[in-house]
Amino acid sequence: METTRCLIIGSGPAGFTAGIYASRADLKPLLYEGEQPGGQLTITTEIENFPGYPEGVDGTAMMEDLRRQAAKFGTEIRSGYITKIDLSHRPFTATDDHNNTIVADTVIIATGASAKWIGLDSERQYYGQGVSACATCDGYFYRNKIVAVVGGGDTACEEANYLSNLCQKVYLVHRRNELRASKAMQHLVLDNPKIEMVWDSRVHLIGGTPEQGVTHIELENVKDNSISTLKVDGVFVAIGHKPNTDFLDNQVELDPQGYIKQQSNTTQTNIPGVFAAGDVCDPSYRQAIVAAGRGCMAALDAERFLQGL
Ligand code: NAP
């Protein structure tokens, strides 16, 4: 068993920024990187909207810099993830994936969010055989091939744009006739000759063979219910994210969409001493810069909480 004044769970911009601030406040934080070290930015392409990088920055490189900065000030960064945590009384007791026990005076939850799936049996069947949720991870396998991206938000547009540089053709399948993505991202997609929009359509089935993997998708037009088929070699699902809160086992109050609720204008959850930052508690902005800012706030809130004891 080991003890810490501040346990940080997660290693995206929120977790590492919390680490930088908590270590500079001498809390000697212990940070668990989680199942996806570096978080979602490590599977994105170039980041063009993080202030301070006028030429853009590679997501993995930026997270490596953040990691080094947190470590430099004394954050103890550990591979692995927290499998369960008892928040019923303080100090809190967490268990990691190697069955180690950590007793923490404060906890900062910065576990982010994971890709959502459409929920089709055929999607599960062909996962890794033509179905993916990460163009930067898997796009390489589809060079000069035809793919479909599903979704209408920034992620879907970003994935479609990235894939257009590798693939022969990209269909962007959206369930409405208007994109949710930011205007800048919409222009990138709508002006790209290799991307063809498929409006008002839902993926009804992903078809293929065990040997070839995905060969086609069946689409249902939401206006007239007609079914059509598109020949594709791969499908990239980009329909949003789900906050990673399962390990909390409903001990922390969540909103109806599953995001952690916070006390007004702080990072405090309903449990004194437990704070949250980043996409795990942000249903509306979900930007790296916001997550970093909230990570800073969480560390300051944890420090003030400990001072007030
Ligand atoms: P999002 O904004 O929630 O968009 C999800 C998209 O998927 C929507 O167009 C939605 O359709 C569609 N969708 C949801 N469920 C679906 C289903 N079951 N079947 C078919 N389509 C479905 O998610 P996101 O694109 O992942 O973006 C998340 C956040 O990250 C946003 O705040 C975004 O701005 C941010 N982000 C920013 C950048 C950037 O700035 N470079 C890059 C990526 C993400 P409807 O439109 O009909 O609801």
Side-chain angles (χ1 to χ4, degrees):
M1 186 184 81
E2 63 187 308
T3 59
T4 179
R5 299 197 79 200
C6 182
L7 172 65
I8 301 171
I9 311 174
S11 60
F16 281 142
T17 307
I20 293 167
Y21 276 77
S23 48
R24 285 170 63 87
D26 224 12
L27 299 188
K28 300 187 172 49
L30 172 60
L31 183 151
Y32 271 79
E33 288 192 298
E35 289 179 77
Q36 188 177 25
Q40 293 176 68
L41 290 189
T42 58
I43 57 164
T44 190
T45 47
E46 187 104 323
I47 301 163
E48 293 184 325
N49 54 7
F50 201 95
Y53 297 97
E55 311 306 330
V57 58
D58 175 80
T60 305
M62 189 172 100
M63 293 318 300
E64 187 48 42
D65 282 349
L66 273 170
R67 187 184 197 281
R68 279 197 296 121
Q69 199 172 351
K72 171 180 147 184
F73 292 115
T75 303
E76 189 183 335
I77 299 170
R78 192 165 291 173
S79 304
Y81 53 95
I82 299 299
T83 52
K84 63 178 182 199
I85 189 160
D86 179 359
L87 301 174
S88 59
H89 55 87
R90 209 167 30 79
F92 310 110
T93 307
T95 308
D96 73 10
D97 56 324
H98 287 100
N99 233 12
N100 297 313
T101 301
I102 303 104
V103 175
D105 292 328
T106 59
V107 175
I108 295 175
I109 303 164
T111 43
S114 302
K116 274 194 206 161
W117 296 99
I118 305 169
L120 300 168
D121 287 343
S122 49
E123 177 186 48
R124 265 190 298 278
Q125 184 183 350
Y126 289 108
Y127 180 73
Q129 256 206 302
V131 174
S132 167
C134 177
T136 41
C137 317
D138 301 326
Y140 187 74
F141 301 116
Y142 299 91
R143 273 167 305 152
N144 303 319
K145 296 194 170 175
I146 301 173
V147 297
V149 175
V150 184
D154 280 325
T155 304
C157 291
E158 200 169 64
E159 302 263 280
N161 203 49
Y162 176 80
L163 289 164
S164 74
N165 293 320
L166 297 168
C167 303
Q168 190 192 122
K169 184 179 183 80
V170 179
Y171 293 105
L172 182 50
V173 178
H174 184 33
R175 63 183 178 182
R176 291 189 294 135
N177 62 359
E178 177 182 31
L179 292 169
R180 177 179 293 279
S182 62
K183 290 286 179 224
M185 207 63 100
Q186 290 195 25
H187 285 306
L188 275 182
V189 162
L190 299 174
D191 298 342
N192 187 325
K194 283 173 93 179
I195 301 176
E196 181 176 331
M197 291 303 309
V198 183
W199 300 111
D200 296 315
S201 299
R202 280 180 190 279
V203 179
H204 167 77
L205 182 116
I206 298 172
T209 66
E211 299 75 36
Q212 279 177 277
V214 168
T215 55
H216 64 281
I217 49 176
E218 277 183 23
L219 300 175
E220 180 185 9
N221 183 296
V222 295
K223 293 211 162 133
D224 61 15
N225 296 338
S226 60
I227 302 285
S228 60
T229 302
L230 274 184
K231 191 181 158 313
V232 295
D233 303 295
V235 183
F236 289 84
V237 179
I239 60 170
H241 292 84
K242 171 186 169 300
N244 296 324
T245 55
D246 288 352
F247 74 104
L248 294 170
D249 207 14
N250 292 319
Q251 296 172 89
V252 173
E253 203 180 341
L254 307 178
D255 75 6
Q257 294 169 272
Y259 291 88
I260 294 177
K261 275 192 179 177
Q262 293 174 303
Q263 317 286 311
S264 63
N265 210 24
T266 73
T267 61
Q268 174 72 63
T269 67
N270 62 311
I271 301 174
V274 179
F275 306 89
D279 284 12
V280 74
C281 52
D282 179 3
S284 54
Y285 300 105
R286 292 175 290 183
Q287 302 294 308
I289 184 67
V290 177
R294 302 293 296 188
C296 155
M297 286 169 65
L300 295 176
D301 286 342
E303 184 191 3
R304 286 172 193 160
F305 174 83
L306 289 167
Q307 274 167 2
L309 287 180

